[in-house]
Amino acid sequence: MTTPLPAPAVCLTELAIAFALKGGGRYTAVEGIDLAVAPGEFVAIVGPTGCGKSTLLNATAGLVRPVAGRVEIFGRELSGLNIRAGYLFQQDALMPWKTALENVAVALEPKGVAAAKARAQAEQWLRRVGLAAFTERYPHMLSGGQKKRVALAQMLIRDPEILLMDEPFGPLDAQTRQLMGNLLLELWAADRKAVMFVTHDLEEAIALADRVVVMSAGPAARIIGDFRVELPRPRDIAEVRLEPAFHHIHKEIWSQLRVEVQKAYAQGEAG
Ligand SMILES: Nc1ncnc2c1ncn2[C@@H]1O[C@H](COP(=O)(O)OP(=O)(O)OP(=O)(O)O)[C@@H](O)[C@H]1O
Ligand SMILES: [Mg+2]
């Protein structure tokens, strides 16, 4: 007897998403998207600006409805919000009137966790992301990298089975990005979740992921490339970039991505 394969954590099938435009008409952002992410798999999504990367994450989170196709989460069609996923947004989403500790603890509120227990867990999580000494700081008293650590703790404390991350380290300087990347890999290795990680940085995508998926320029953007990254784990974000296999796969993916980036740029120029 063969054991059935586990359902993918995320399965997008023939997915299309369109937006109604002011003054009539609609804009089809993505179309014909087929993407499956296995439980525990780390998938990075790259593509030119405006191609629909955030839109794909929003559809997986249940924040936008597809006009065609399906979103399945662990084998079940998604209707409403995806409560099995945690989302790290492209923009900062910490509450400025709450301390780091309160920002993390509040994530447990919907689960009905008692306040004292939530604070204790939040403290543990802030320690895990290296912020034990910063629990009582408000977001404006934290650096960009520290805020991202708080946001990471805020997402992970809920123990979601799927992590949706939208250019989470985008605004950070190069060294801080590397530190955050290594921290993320360490946390992920301890307790493997399925990850959809959007980035415009191809090197970051390869260094982190098991697979890199390439999207075409929009409108009606599609997935045009799907590359397996065979680099061994555990990885160090800075060191893995020095390996010949890294350069090889980077060259392969970039030759495809570059064409799409140029197309998107030309469209922008044309207005
Ligand atoms: N609510 C909306 N109404 C109309 N168009 C929208 C809406 N949301 C997104 N779009 C359009 O859909 C396309 C995809 O947007 P999306 O934010 O997913 O791109 P992205 O790949 O995440 O870009 P970036 O890399 O710049 O973050 C863009 O052309 C955008 O202008
Ligand atoms: Mg985006």
Side-chain angles (χ1 to χ4, degrees):
M1 217 171 72
T2 54
T3 342
L5 285 173
V10 177
C11 188
L12 312 178
T13 310
E14 280 295 311
L15 192 76
I17 293 163
F19 298 105
L21 294 176
K22 248 188 182 166
R26 68 177 194 176
Y27 179 82
T28 302
V30 300
E31 196 171 65
I33 299 283
D34 290 315
L35 177 65
V37 181
E41 190 180 28
F42 198 129
V43 174
I45 301 170
V46 295
T49 177
C51 73
K53 303 180 295 297
S54 298
T55 301
L56 275 196
L57 292 196
N58 288 340
T60 309
L63 297 171
V64 297
R65 295 262 131 253
V67 291
R70 296 157 66 82
V71 178
E72 282 170 332
I73 303 301
F74 291 103
R76 299 181 64 171
E77 183 150 18
L78 181 66
S79 61
L81 281 182
N82 182 354
I83 55 166
R84 300 176 80 170
Y87 201 155
L88 204 54
F89 290 99
Q90 197 165 357
Q91 314 81 1
D92 238 343
L94 297 180
M95 288 171 259
W97 61 90
K98 287 188 186 289
T99 62
L101 186 79
E102 288 163 351
N103 262 291
V104 178
V106 78
L108 291 177
E109 234 170 52
K111 285 192 163 180
V113 178
K117 201 171 163 197
R119 285 179 72 87
Q121 283 188 30
E123 234 173 71
Q124 272 173 22
W125 268 106
L126 284 170
R127 194 169 311 124
R128 284 185 80 177
V129 299
L131 288 182
F134 296 84
T135 54
E136 295 311 317
R137 298 244 188 141
Y138 289 90
H140 76 273
M141 303 167 171
L142 296 169
S143 72
Q146 289 166 339
K147 277 190 269 202
K148 288 292 173 191
R149 286 169 191 256
V150 176
L152 201 56
Q154 192 184 49
M155 173 177 71
L156 294 173
I157 196 172
R158 286 180 45 240
D159 198 23
E161 293 155 281
I162 300 165
L163 307 182
L164 306 175
M165 306 181 77
D166 196 353
E167 303 208 24
F169 312 141
L172 306 176
D173 65 83
Q175 291 99 313
T176 311
R177 283 178 85 105
Q178 289 186 359
L179 288 174
M180 291 300 296
N182 280 338
L183 173 65
L184 174 63
L185 283 186
E186 188 190 310
L187 295 170
W188 175 74
D191 182 15
R192 286 193 177 209
K193 317 281 190 183
V195 183
M196 286 169 77
F197 186 99
V198 165
T199 176
H200 61 261
D201 180 343
L202 179 55
E203 290 200 12
E204 182 176 67
I206 298 169
L208 290 171
D210 297 317
R211 261 164 75 206
V212 177
V213 162
V214 181
M215 290 178 73
S216 68
R222 290 170 177 273
I223 289 174
I224 52 167
D226 194 334
F227 300 83
R228 191 153 285 284
V229 181
E230 303 285 4
L231 297 163
R233 295 188 189 273
R235 298 180 194 161
D236 179 280
I237 298 284
E239 282 169 17
V240 77
R241 290 167 206 235
L242 307 174
E243 301 207 6
F246 185 97
H247 290 281
H248 180 77
I249 191 163
H250 186 279
K251 205 170 158 193
E252 200 180 0
I253 303 177
W254 178 240
S255 68
Q256 187 176 42
L257 181 57
R258 191 181 57 189
V259 178
E260 299 307 316
V261 170
Q262 282 166 347
K263 269 191 220 162
Y265 185 73
Q267 282 168 8
E269 291 274 281

